[in-house]
Amino acid sequence: MKKWRSSTMGCLIIMGCIWSCKNNATQMENGNVPIPVQAVTVQQQDIAAYHTFNGVTVYQKKENIRAHVTGYISWLPYELGSSIRAGQTFAHLRTKEQDALREAVLIDSTLEKFSQPLGIQSNGTGIITALNVQKNDYVAEGDLLATIAEPSSLVVQVNVPFVYENNLGVGTPCEIILGNDRTIVTQISGSLPIIDPIPQSHIFLIALPKEQLPESLNVQVRIMDRGHKGVKVLPVQAVQSNELMTDFWVMKVVQDTLAVKQRITLGLQTDAWTEVASDSLQVNDKVVTEGAYQMQDSTLISVQ
């Protein structure tokens, strides 16, 4: 009796497995196996489109220190990168005539005042960005000894194609994006009445008097073109299109089991988000972001 029951149970288990496998095979043949996908919800938020231009840092105000007589540098306490203020003595200069007076001073002490080195004063406040002499160097009258850049005169120079001329002006808000992922929020402070003849670009200036940045630093300047408030947006990877980019759609998730094709109209776009318009797509509706490539309308899915 026990053997008969065991045999019966074994047959039932085998028949169940055969039926399950056969049913799964039928589902696979009919395309009813859910496709695993990832999905996000439609969000409502502000979106803006930007123009990005290349810029470079420039010190607008620089002062040159020059030799006012011919002679030798006898004292020079500054180095490249040192700070100096207007009126401070930059160096001492000793002339050939003063060297000749050394022996004469031993005879006539009244000549000593004429043998003292001549001081060269700084005519600007800032940082020494160029130093062309060292101690004991011989210089001629008028030679350039050093260049001082005033940090408060720092600007970003932006070359903007002339076609965007009407979108920019003094006071236009902008963002300066540095190479270390730092962003400075500011505005355009001026422009030059000059057009670069080759690229046909207009030069705009952004003053940064409180920033400590090196000269000739390449930056990106981002300026908003237009924006929309409180619109429906989706990640760009959720949008699909035909080969000609004339028809756009998303796969809307219905009851977490079905993906339905919904045609949409695109609005403003950024690198990550796109504005969408569709009467059948509402805020908080789910759409497929991964796994929808070449998916047919009304496909069974499994949201991961």
Side-chain angles (χ1 to χ4, degrees), residues 231-269:
V231 295
K232 291 181 288 189
V233 297
L234 281 173
V236 292
Q237 62 265 32
V239 179
Q240 300 187 65
S241 69
N242 59 4
E243 293 181 356
L244 298 178
M245 302 286 288
T246 57
D247 189 20
F248 300 91
W249 66 89
V250 296
M251 300 304 293
K252 178 180 176 181
V253 178
V254 178
Q255 297 180 352
D256 289 338
T257 58
L258 197 66
V260 180
K261 186 176 182 179
Q262 300 288 341
R263 283 184 168 80
I264 59 173
T265 302
L266 300 183
L268 294 182
Q269 299 182 53

Side-chain angles (χ1 to χ4, degrees), residues 167-186:
N167 297 344
L168 281 75
V170 176
T172 300
C174 62
E175 295 178 352
I176 300 175
I177 304 173
L178 306 179
N180 56 1
D181 294 331
R182 180 187 169 204
T183 300
I184 301 174
V185 180
T186 181

Side-chain angles (χ1 to χ4, degrees), residues 84 127 154 176 188 197 204 206 224 248 260:
I84 191 171
I127 299 173
L154 179 69
I176 300 175
I188 294 177
F204 287 88
I206 304 171
M224 189 174 75
F248 300 91
V260 180

Side-chain angles (χ1 to χ4, degrees), residues 55-98:
V56 62
T57 55
V58 177
Y59 287 112
Q60 279 192 304
K61 190 173 182 181
K62 295 181 179 180
E63 298 289 348
N64 293 325
I65 300 178
R66 296 183 179 275
H68 47 73
V69 293
T70 299
Y72 295 90
I73 301 293
S74 61
W75 179 76
L76 179 62
Y78 295 99
E79 298 178 349
L80 191 65
S82 298
S83 298
I84 191 171
R85 299 187 63 83
Q88 285 185 330
T89 301
F90 168 74
H92 286 167
L93 195 65
R94 188 184 74 254
T95 66
K96 292 182 178 180
E97 291 78 9
Q98 289 174 330

Side-chain angles (χ1 to χ4, degrees), residues 8 33 43 46 52 57 67 85 91 109 113 137 153 165 185 197 199 201 211 227 242 245 248 270 273 276 281-282 284:
T8 302
V33 177
Q43 298 185 29
D46 300 343
T52 302
T57 55
R85 299 187 63 83
S109 60
K113 60 181 179 179
D137 280 356
S153 69
E165 176 73 16
V185 180
S201 59
E211 296 292 335
N242 59 4
M245 302 286 288
F248 300 91
T270 67
W273 299 91
V276 296
L281 203 63
Q282 304 301 325
N284 294 328

